[in-house]
Amino acid sequence: MILLSVSPDLETETGTSPYAVRVEDLSITYRTTFERKPTLKQAIVRLGRGERAVREVHALKNVSFDVRVGTSMGIIGSNGAGKSTLMRAMAGILPPTAGNVEVWGKASTLLALGVGFNKSLSGRENIVLGGLASGLSRREVEERADEVAEWTELGDFIDMPMNTYSSGMSARVGFSVAVHMKPDILMIDEALSTGDAHFREKANAKMSELRESARAMFLVSHGLGSIGEMCNDCIWLDKGRLMMRGAPEEVIEAYMTHVKVKKSATTTEDI
């Protein structure tokens, strides 16, 4: 059975759901024509037959877990482990190949900084677009636009085209939009690793504030220190499989042992 359910209605037949997200036997497979460069002979034969080699990539394999209201879940793993794919599935962006994904509440997603922005528009105009894309009404967006713009601390740059922005400035706009939409569920992928020290400190404080009001928060990061500090639950993915779930300190320790990295100030912020 394949099911993707994102319900803004928090009520169930038995009352308010104790869950924010439930994932059951989730598998996602990509089909791609990417492969190693063929030899001249292989290319000629394939061209003559009108064939294209198709490769299947199993990004997630039978992943199951549930997340109760009040959970701040960290998602860790090496590059290519399936972390971002899982976030996109929970956000309703990627349909499951197999399995179920159920989400209770409105999710605000920051899955890649700047994705979806119209670079020819100003930061302020993209704030409005981001709010509308999050499901807010025009009136709600207009009420919050000035607050979001001020929070970015970009000054006059907020009214300049975003194609003039640095990556850090774009990050500020993207993060500001995501965290000011008052989401039931907040999903952030690698957002806290971008920007200067002042912005990271401000972002951490905002995340702490959101943990008190959101039904759940998901944070994907290679900064294991941030995971340990901001999350009360953690899962570790490896090659699309769920390897471990538990307290962040325990999961991080097991992961670091697996990748054979000694714990230090450097490794806990970028592995």
Side-chain angles (χ1 to χ4, degrees):
M1 178 183 181
I2 302 175
L3 172 66
L4 177 59
S5 174
V6 182
S7 175
D9 186 358
L10 306 184
E11 299 298 318
T12 65
E13 293 179 359
T14 58
T16 302
S17 171
Y19 296 100
V21 174
R22 180 183 292 146
V23 176
E24 297 179 335
D25 295 321
L26 175 64
S27 295
I28 293 182
T29 301
Y30 298 107
R31 291 174 60 84
T32 176
T33 57
F34 174 79
E35 62 174 349
R36 292 180 179 177
K37 187 176 181 179
T39 64
L40 177 60
K41 180 179 179 181
Q42 290 173 330
I44 292 174
V45 170
R46 190 169 298 157
L47 180 63
R49 295 176 178 176
E51 297 177 349
R52 297 183 68 187
V54 176
R55 178 185 176 189
E56 290 191 343
V57 178
H58 301 283
L60 291 175
K61 306 171 185 176
N62 304 113
V63 174
S64 296
F65 62 91
D66 55 56
V67 178
R68 288 184 170 270
V69 172
T71 300
S72 298
M73 174 167 280
I75 304 176
I76 65 174
S78 303
N79 290 329
K83 306 184 299 296
S84 294
T85 297
L86 175 59
M87 291 279 273
R88 284 166 169 77
M90 292 190 296
I93 297 171
L94 280 178
T97 303
N100 307 332
V101 178
E102 295 179 272
V103 178
W104 287 267
K106 182 179 69 176
S108 178
T109 60
L110 184 52
L111 302 181
L113 294 171
V115 170
F117 284 154
N118 185 331
K119 299 294 185 178
S120 64
L121 299 180
S122 69
R124 191 183 301 275
E125 289 169 325
N126 275 291
I127 288 172
V128 173
L129 290 178
L132 294 174
S134 298
L136 298 183
S137 67
R138 168 68 69 170
R139 179 178 178 181
E140 289 174 320
V141 170
E142 290 176 349
E143 288 175 349
R144 300 179 192 179
D146 289 341
E147 177 187 355
V148 177
E150 183 177 354
W151 200 86
T152 65
E153 298 183 353
L154 291 179
D156 293 339
F157 278 100
I158 197 65
D159 292 306
M160 295 178 64
M162 286 193 67
N163 55 22
T164 65
Y165 286 16
S166 67
S167 59
M169 293 166 70
S170 295
R172 289 188 178 216
V173 177
F175 186 87
S176 300
V177 170
V179 299
H180 282 84
M181 296 303 120
K182 297 182 179 180
D184 298 310
I185 300 169
L186 182 64
M187 301 180 183
I188 295 186
D189 189 346
E190 298 295 357
L192 301 182
S193 61
T194 309
D196 56 29
H198 169 72
F199 178 70
R200 289 199 300 271
E201 183 177 354
K202 187 174 181 177
N204 281 330
K206 187 63 178 180
M207 292 288 289
S208 297
E209 176 187 326
L210 286 171
R211 279 186 298 175
E212 302 299 323
S213 59
R215 286 173 61 82
M217 180 186 79
F218 294 87
L219 175 61
V220 169
S221 179
H222 287 285
L224 302 184
S226 296
I227 295 288
E229 178 183 347
M230 305 191 66
C231 300
N232 56 25
D233 200 354
C234 186
I235 60 175
W236 162 28
L237 295 176
D238 184 62
K239 298 178 181 178
R241 296 190 181 278
L242 178 59
M243 302 294 290
M244 183 178 178
R245 178 182 183 177
E249 297 79 8
E250 297 175 357
V251 178
I252 289 171
E253 187 71 31
Y255 170 60
M256 294 183 72
T257 299
H258 176 76
V259 297
K260 299 178 181 179
V261 174
K262 293 183 179 180
K263 194 171 185 178
S264 69
T266 301
T267 56
T268 54
E269 282 307 314
D270 192 25
I271 70 169

